[in-house]
Amino acid sequence: MWDEPAETMSVDERSALQEQRLRSLAARLLAAGGLQAERLRAAGIDGAVASTLSLADLPELPTTSKQDLWDAYPFGMLAVPQDNVVAVHGSSGTGGRPTLVGYTRGDLDLWGEMVARSLGCAGASRGTVVHNAYGYGLFTGGVGFHLGGIRLGATVVPVSSGMTQRQLTLIADLKPQVLTCTPSYAVTLGEAARRDGADVSSLRAGIFGAEPWSESLRRQIEQLLPVKALDVYGLSEVIGPGVATECIEAQSGLHVNEDHFIVECIDPGTGEPVDDGTPGELVFTTPTKEALPLLRYRTGDLASLHRETCACGRTLVRMSKVLGRRDDMLVVRGVNVYPSEVEAVVLARDGLEPHYLLVVDGRGAVPELIVCCEAETDRDAHAQALDATLRDRLGLRTEVHVLAPGTLPRQEVGKAVRVVRWVEGAAPLPELADRRR
Ligand code: DLL
């Protein structure tokens, strides 16, 4: 464990710390002026009220959203003078517009600490070799794990994403114990290693995140590579990777670093808190961030929170794997379904490759879901069986195409694209070109 006192603190002690940090955040936001100060004042929170806030007041406080960051792009929401900002990162986001986040020196220190905890969750410590295949750049994955690895005293190999052959050579030569990359890239690396007979035997753990992935994909990765596959969650707006990580001991839920990222789970429709164990939208408050501290940031990510004790001894609340995004839900003939639910069914079937693409054919009046996956043999039988299972488990009527291995597009760099909406024009895959609506 990287920071045992913080990660195993008693729940009461941590709540007291969160409360004190929440008060100072409200005071800082009020002093900085701007959108968040205006919203606080409109909710009746002035300096005097801020100094008496408790955690129980949190659900009543105003929220922030991606739209606020877009409206204030690039620097409109900073809570510090712009010359205190030493770096920017962000994401191109699902909507195409960049979400830009500024960091002070203090923010980079905090980020390094948080990702050092993530690496600690995978059993890494001083001297562990970390093969960091997250992309370096505006994206927070590469630089985040770089800072965390250095903070921990590990040896970081900053290989970034892509160029799979070179990655395999470096793994064989430098013998890393820990691999960090997206889960879809872990599959690409694992398949290439298997095909080429590359030596990846030094690996022990992988910390995979930045995109949703199912338990079935975890099993597939663990068959392809000699790793315990752990999930890491984060978002640029909150800090990047390092918000929450699964421990190697339990591999069951992601420990949220809630001393720095206070988490709530709300009903995405009503905004009311949901009970522990019930899926809802995650909302984060970042009381110790300097350049861009956010009050009650609505992530759009759906997951549930769990407070049972964990085998690893951490007392931090756990979040489930992300089930999907609020805006990702597919409505197919009246059935609501998240891509991750379809993934779980597809990848659980023996004989199918760990690749799939969901095409939502929205050219007609009623959207139809086409599930495309790959298998070496028995494609017709797989298609029939998958069609029946999807109908049974999810109540979904779909069209299933089982294609030859290598047919679906592979993504070497960036986040995997698993869902394509086909609204007009050419089919997203040549195999679907004849499909009529
Ligand atoms: O993806 C930060 C990150 C980098 C996390 C490396 C983990 C590893 P953004 O590019 O801003 O930041 O995208 C954030 O990605 O709101 C989720 O929808 C999704 N996401 C991130 N981690 C996970 C995960 C980084 N483990 C958005 N499971 C978030 C599912 C994830 N979705």
Side-chain angles (χ1 to χ4, degrees):
M1 222 179 277
W2 169 244
D3 186 349
E4 198 164 334
E7 293 174 73
T8 62
M9 191 180 275
S10 79
V11 171
D12 288 347
E13 205 184 337
R14 188 178 295 117
S15 299
L17 182 65
Q18 288 174 322
E19 191 158 283
Q20 174 212 327
R21 288 180 169 172
L22 176 65
R23 290 175 184 171
S24 83
L25 169 67
R28 256 186 320 130
L29 290 174
L30 286 167
L35 178 80
Q36 298 197 74
E38 273 166 35
R39 288 199 185 146
L40 277 170
R41 290 208 178 88
I45 317 285
D46 59 13
V49 180
S51 66
T52 62
L53 282 176
S54 77
L55 291 178
D57 298 321
L58 201 53
E60 308 305 323
L61 298 183
T63 58
T64 45
S65 67
K66 208 183 247 306
Q67 188 66 46
D68 295 330
L69 287 167
W70 285 341
D71 292 346
Y73 176 84
F75 293 122
M77 278 179 73
L78 290 181
V80 296
Q82 201 184 316
D83 54 8
N84 291 10
V85 172
V86 298
V88 295
H89 284 281
S91 69
S92 50
T94 37
R97 264 178 287 181
T99 307
L100 197 76
V101 178
Y103 298 74
T104 63
R105 237 175 253 286
D107 291 332
L108 294 184
D109 285 344
L110 173 65
W111 195 12
E113 273 293 311
M114 297 298 101
V115 181
R117 287 190 195 175
S118 302
L119 289 162
C121 278
S125 59
R126 195 181 158 75
T128 300
V129 178
V130 178
H131 184 95
N132 185 17
Y134 282 112
Y136 280 62
L138 200 57
F139 175 55
T140 52
V143 171
F145 272 93
H146 194 90
L147 291 171
I150 287 173
R151 188 85 176 188
L152 186 80
T155 306
V156 184
V157 185
V159 61
S160 196
S161 50
M163 300 217 267
T164 303
Q165 289 311 316
R166 191 181 63 154
Q167 305 239 3
L168 291 177
T169 306
L170 281 167
I171 292 175
D173 293 348
L174 305 188
K175 309 210 178 319
Q177 294 85 29
V178 173
L179 168 66
T180 57
C181 62
T182 58
S184 49
Y185 194 63
V187 170
T188 302
L189 262 180
E191 285 181 336
R194 181 161 291 184
R195 200 176 46 235
D196 301 356
D199 178 13
V200 291
S201 60
S202 61
L203 291 172
R204 299 281 172 272
I207 313 182
F208 307 127
E211 59 190 27
W213 56 300
S214 62
E215 288 298 333
S216 312
L217 193 62
R218 190 204 302 273
R219 281 191 291 279
Q220 299 259 7
I221 293 174
E222 291 185 343
Q223 278 166 16
L224 283 166
L225 291 168
V227 295
K228 287 252 190 191
L230 309 176
D231 197 351
V232 59
Y233 169 81
L235 58 164
S236 319
E237 300 90 309
V238 171
I239 203 153
V243 174
T245 317
E246 260 175 355
C247 59
I248 197 161
E249 291 85 351
Q251 283 184 295
S252 167
L254 293 77
H255 292 281
V256 180
N257 286 319
E258 53 176 332
D259 42 343
H260 295 282
F261 312 120
I262 304 175
V263 62
E264 300 167 76
C265 189
I266 66 170
D267 179 315
T270 64
E272 293 299 315
V274 301
D275 292 338
D276 287 346
T278 306
E281 179 180 352
L282 298 180
V283 176
F284 286 97
T285 296
T286 65
T288 54
K289 269 190 61 195
E290 295 175 349
L292 189 72
L294 291 173
L295 189 61
R296 304 196 71 220
Y297 183 75
R298 292 191 59 162
T299 62
D301 292 324
L302 305 173
S304 52
L305 295 179
H306 303 264
R307 293 178 212 275
E308 301 83 22
T309 51
C310 184
C312 69
R314 287 179 183 82
T315 52
L316 299 160
V317 64
R318 277 178 285 172
M319 58 180 264
S320 67
K321 274 181 157 305
V322 171
L323 308 167
R325 283 189 56 77
R326 197 177 53 197
D327 37 13
D328 258 6
M329 192 175 74
L330 305 172
V331 183
V332 183
R333 296 170 192 261
V335 178
N336 299 351
V337 64
Y338 287 98
S340 58
E341 296 178 279
V342 181
E343 173 181 305
V345 173
V346 171
L347 299 188
R349 206 180 152 70
D350 282 345
L352 290 181
E353 304 286 318
H355 298 280
Y356 68 96
L357 183 72
L358 308 182
V359 178
V360 183
D361 186 347
R363 294 171 304 157
V366 185
E368 289 176 1
L369 182 65
I370 310 166
V371 178
C372 303
C373 44
E374 297 178 347
E376 190 77 56
T377 55
D378 304 329
R379 291 190 199 110
D380 288 343
H382 279 307
Q384 274 176 21
L386 201 54
D387 182 41
T389 318
L390 286 166
R391 205 172 287 216
D392 249 29
R393 298 255 185 88
L394 306 177
L396 266 187
R397 279 164 62 202
T398 58
E399 181 179 305
V400 179
H401 291 250
V402 182
L403 308 166
T407 313
L408 295 174
R410 305 291 198 262
Q411 191 127 357
E412 282 228 335
V413 176
K415 303 189 184 207
V417 177
R418 306 290 205 191
V419 182
V420 176
R421 285 171 208 270
W422 180 12
V423 184
E424 54 180 14
L429 285 177
E431 288 72 15
L432 303 178
D434 294 338
R435 192 165 203 276
R436 299 258 167 273
R437 285 306 303 264

